[in-house]
Amino acid sequence: MPKTLIIVESPAKARTIKKFVGRDYAVEASMGHVRDLPKSQLGVDIDDHFTPHYITIRGKGKLIERLRQQARQADRVLLATDPDREGEAISWHLCQLLDIPEDSPCRIVFHEITRDAVRRALQEPRPIDGNLVDAQQARRVLDRLVGYKLSPLLWRKVRRGLSAGRVQSVAVRLIVDREEEIEAFTPQEYWTLDAELERQAGGEVFTARYHGDADGKRELPSREAVDRLLADLEGRAFVVLGVERKERRRNPAPPFTTSTLQQEASRKLGFSVRRTMRIAQELYEGIELRGEGAVGLVTYIRTDSTRIADQALDEAAAYIAARFGAEFSSPRKQAGRRQAQAQDAHEAIRPTSVAREPDAIKDDLTPDQYKLYRLIWERFVASQMAPAVLDTVTVEIGAGPHRFRATGSTVKFPGFMRLYVEGRDEGAEGDGDEGDRMLPELAEGDVLRVRALRPEQHFTQPPPRYTEAMLVRALEEKGIGRPSTYAPIIETIQERGYVVKEDRRFRPTELGRVVTALLKEYFPDIVDVEFTARMEADLDRIEEGERDWEDVVRAFYGPFSETLSRAEQQIQRVALPVEETDEVCEKCGRRMVIKHGRYGRFLACPGFPECRNTKPLVEKTGARCPRCGGELVQRRSRKGRVFYGCSNYPDCDFTTWDRPTAETCPECGTFLAEKRSRQGVRLVCANPECGYQREAAGETAGAGAGAGRR
């Protein structure tokens, strides 16, 4: 029998570690948590210091008995669960079940699953970290108190099956508040005036934009203002007043934390948060590589730190110098803006070996694994490369009292941009397009020839709805939850019907609005961003040993309990607005309404119980199926993703991910579908053999109409 038993969470992690240890070790998996609070009751003794009552998770009995048997036969047991609060809590529960003294050296941690990291960890066992366990327990108890006390109230006052959560309710509020901002937004008209200029007839043409006058910037609020300006510019000479040249340096983004990985995978790969974390877990736990065997490809994926180990720094510097040249190497240890909150032992998410180039191991990875590994690898390598250097030029042009400006830039030294450039959310501040924008050689006093003056109308735009990446960023910036909790939060608020995702953006449902309004009125702390952020900070202080977990829970529960009692008396039954549709009940002639059931929304006759007619809820697109001529309708996959299919299913199984439109192709007659990209929306013929496409109406702003963002 092996002398040492190592217990990890997952079989994949166990298989990888087995390759690194000798015959004296057995490696088993606990399959995640082994104990938890019961689902059928509160499971927290409020009167006895908020003591949690843990039970063995259903279905884990035989597994625990097998682990007990193996633990009795081993000389020692080492618990190698993940290096965070959840991992520490799993190890603590295993200590209780396997009769292992928690103050004994039974715990080992590593932040990457490689041979060297595992062997180092085996030489440095430690006791269970009680502060980490207390922080996890405090979070679990707080979430249970909110969920099991507040959710039944929503059932009684609004609708059965609803839930409220300490973090999920704040996430819904952010989405509801954004929708209210959009609805309250009043577009403001503004205009721009571009001058197409050249130094001499037939010379290189460049564009300068109206800026104002000698006293500063001036707005063009209306067509009338533009017409007055155009009249005053008539016959005036355009003269170069000054040319300013600067050198600008742009630094690379730091390597990924959990949150920034989720955001960038959403922007660049279109991955949901849950999909990103699932694939990242696979890369962390180990992939079978030809010639190497099973090996973890990335470091631990749940981290707030951007710190880099010295060995990884040295390896990256040598790699960059060899591949790109010594001038491209610029090692950085990194210290992100949340470094003070991060566990210092943690590292950023990075490849375990920069020598494993993505393309070299592509054949051993699934397509999704390859995409995410390449993203992590490129981000890390770029973070250790030299800044990009750009030559910028700004030209001030006068036309009488009026001022125009032209800007250009060229990449003098690409630095990290040779490999990777960080993505941005819509509406985010950034450096703009970093490609070359050349201007002709100009000097002060040059008189320019005007080719054209082009006025263009714009309207200010409301803030955009949240994408998953934008919501994750907002939650992190406001200190709400932790990145490891974002995936279940986003999934829950969709499953409960509080929000829906349309074109990859969240919109609150009427139910989400009603519940948020109710919580804001009666439980303001639960949906208060700052209060929730302070609670997260308290959990961090518990982890650091600065606060007692029971004191934190008691300080929360006292006021919460009083508010709950008042709300129970004061809140009246909330009647959700009936959503009436144009669909007519074929049995009684009434207009059918939208109802909510176990499997989502459906159409029902309002004449119930006299008329019990129901039917699936489908959203018509106005397009016709290219196979059978049936109506194309919107549907949702089992994972909630919107797609479009023929209403004659199952007789016709035509489907498409792209939103169909009522417009038909002028060349073949097939419907046109919306194709979305960072460049905007294009209408593309759904017939793959046709190839017709054009810009969607309104996507570009021409003179007299447009939708620019100021």
Side-chain angles (χ1 to χ4, degrees), residues 298-563:
V298 301
T299 53
Y300 190 53
I301 60 171
R302 294 177 182 86
T303 175
D304 288 338
S305 176
T306 56
R307 189 181 67 83
I308 302 296
D310 291 339
Q311 181 180 348
L313 284 174
D314 294 341
E315 184 183 0
Y319 175 87
I320 293 166
R323 176 175 170 182
F324 299 102
E327 69 276 15
F328 280 87
S329 179
S330 180
R332 298 173 186 80
K333 198 146 191 172
Q334 303 291 344
R337 58 187 174 81
R338 295 192 61 181
Q339 195 65 35
Q341 301 175 24
Q343 297 181 51
D344 189 52
H346 284 191
E347 273 195 75
I349 301 171
R350 60 168 176 82
T352 53
S353 173
V354 75
R356 292 191 191 94
E357 295 178 333
D359 287 341
I361 60 173
K362 183 176 182 179
D363 292 343
D364 296 317
L365 306 176
T366 67
D368 280 359
Q369 288 172 346
Y370 168 73
K371 291 175 186 176
L372 194 65
Y373 178 69
R374 180 177 178 178
L375 191 70
I376 294 169
W377 186 91
E378 288 183 349
R379 173 78 165 231
F380 169 67
V381 175
S383 76
Q384 302 304 304
M385 294 177 71
V389 180
L390 295 94
D391 281 335
T392 64
V393 58
T394 302
V395 180
E396 186 92 1
I397 299 166
H402 308 294
R403 298 291 183 266
F404 286 73
R405 281 187 183 172
T407 59
S409 67
T410 57
V411 178
K412 181 178 180 180
F413 175 66
F416 74 94
M417 290 170 52
R418 176 100 167 254
L419 180 66
Y420 175 89
V421 177
E422 185 179 24
R424 289 197 303 275
D425 295 318
E426 178 186 328
E429 294 294 328
D431 294 316
D433 180 10
E434 295 295 358
D436 286 358
R437 295 188 297 272
M438 299 286 290
L439 291 178
E441 279 296 324
L442 298 169
E444 185 176 336
D446 284 348
V447 179
L448 306 173
R449 181 173 179 271
V450 181
R451 289 278 298 269
L453 292 173
R454 301 194 183 281
E456 192 170 346
Q457 182 190 38
H458 309 268
F459 291 92
T460 56
Q461 298 295 300
R465 289 184 176 128
Y466 287 108
T467 61
E468 281 202 12
M470 294 164 67
L471 184 60
V472 165
R473 182 176 182 179
L475 290 170
E476 185 193 31
E477 288 179 343
K478 297 176 187 298
I480 306 301
R482 284 294 176 262
S484 59
T485 66
Y486 295 157
I489 288 169
I490 289 172
E491 188 168 304
T492 298
I493 63 178
Q494 293 179 85
E495 287 179 348
R496 300 299 183 192
Y498 295 142
V499 304
V500 293
K501 196 186 286 187
E502 296 177 350
D503 295 328
R504 299 184 63 192
R505 295 182 181 275
F506 291 114
R507 178 181 63 79
T509 62
E510 191 61 37
L511 176 63
R513 290 172 180 263
V514 168
V515 170
T516 298
L518 186 148
L519 293 177
K520 285 167 79 170
E521 181 176 357
Y522 293 98
F523 298 91
D525 283 349
I526 296 298
V527 290
D528 181 70
V529 171
E530 292 184 3
F531 177 85
T532 307
R534 288 196 299 272
M535 185 63 66
E536 292 294 340
D538 282 338
L539 293 173
D540 288 340
R541 283 191 278 273
I542 294 170
E543 179 177 329
E544 293 157 8
E546 297 175 2
R547 288 210 64 179
D548 180 76
W549 79 269
E550 186 185 328
D551 291 343
V552 171
V553 174
R554 183 180 292 107
F556 166 81
Y557 186 72
F560 173 71
S561 179
E562 294 174 6
T563 304

Side-chain angles (χ1 to χ4, degrees), residues 66 68 121 221 236 276 308 326 439 449 470 512 560 570 592 673:
R66 187 174 77 248
R68 279 180 177 148
R236 291 189 182 274
T276 297
I308 302 296
L439 291 178
R449 181 173 179 271
M470 294 164 67
F560 173 71
Q570 296 174 6
M592 303 190 80

Side-chain angles (χ1 to χ4, degrees), residues 129-193:
D129 187 330
N131 292 333
L132 280 172
V133 176
D134 286 348
Q136 190 275 344
Q137 183 164 272
R139 177 187 292 278
R140 191 74 185 94
V141 169
L142 284 168
D143 290 345
R144 176 56 65 99
L145 290 173
V146 173
Y148 275 51
K149 292 287 187 178
L150 192 49
S151 296
L153 177 67
L154 295 179
W155 288 25
R156 292 189 292 272
K157 303 298 185 181
V158 184
R159 196 179 76 202
R160 287 188 63 82
L162 299 182
S163 71
R166 192 177 54 84
V167 177
Q168 78 172 48
S169 298
V170 180
V172 176
R173 177 182 179 166
L174 291 177
I175 295 169
V176 170
D177 287 351
R178 176 58 57 87
E179 195 70 18
E180 291 174 352
E181 282 184 70
I182 294 170
E183 291 170 351
F185 183 82
T186 302
Q188 299 293 318
E189 179 186 9
Y190 70 99
W191 288 71
T192 57
L193 178 63

